[in-house]
Amino acid sequence: MSERIERWVEALARLTALAGGLVLTALVVITVISVTGRALVFAGLAPVPGDFELVEAGTAFAVFAFLPWCHLKRGNAVVEVLTMHFSDTANRFIEVVSNLMMLVLALLICWRHWLGTLDKQSYQETTFILQFPIWWAYAAGLFGAVVFVIVSVWCFWRSIVEYRSGSNVPISGELS
């Protein structure tokens, strides 16, 4: 059962990160086209209308899309100067505490992002040039925040299991 959940959580985090990567790739293409259009205005080309609005919204989505994958793969910063001198049990305990703190932070981010999305939706505010509702960008980021909460719950549970079983906790960069 635990392995099935882990595979499901990993697939969800991977797909979310891939979506973030695709959005970033599209933003690069839009930016190149827009800059080229600005440079070649004399030749009849033009920049992409609302390019900065698209980059702003897309980048916000991408950041939230990468958080779950980073956390799942233990890609967060680890200060090993001190912890390398601790016992395995102490490091497993630190992993449990840090995953609990990350879960609390993920829940807080998701909750506040949800309220921000509702707020933007209620005001019906749109972007200046493209006139798309700003809450759409918030909702896209909210998706990544929800996935971040799901992954954080799993990582907290995983660290508890590792603590109880006495298994070695891989350090940042060591993929299990």
Side-chain angles (χ1 to χ4, degrees), residues 153-173:
V153 167
W154 170 252
C155 289
F156 178 57
W157 175 253
R158 177 180 67 186
S159 65
I160 291 171
V161 170
E162 289 170 346
Y163 179 77
R164 286 183 175 168
S165 70
S167 62
N168 267 344
V169 176
I171 59 172
S172 177

Side-chain angles (χ1 to χ4, degrees), residues 12 63-65 67-68 101-119 137-153:
L12 179 63
V63 167
F64 280 102
L67 279 173
M101 289 174 18
M102 188 64 85
L103 173 56
V104 169
L105 182 64
L107 285 166
L108 179 65
I109 289 170
C110 191
W111 168 54
R112 298 308 300 175
H113 201 106
W114 166 253
L115 293 177
T117 302
L118 292 177
D119 188 50
Y138 274 73
L142 182 61
F143 173 77
V146 169
V147 174
F148 186 37
V149 168
I150 292 167
V151 167
S152 295
V153 167

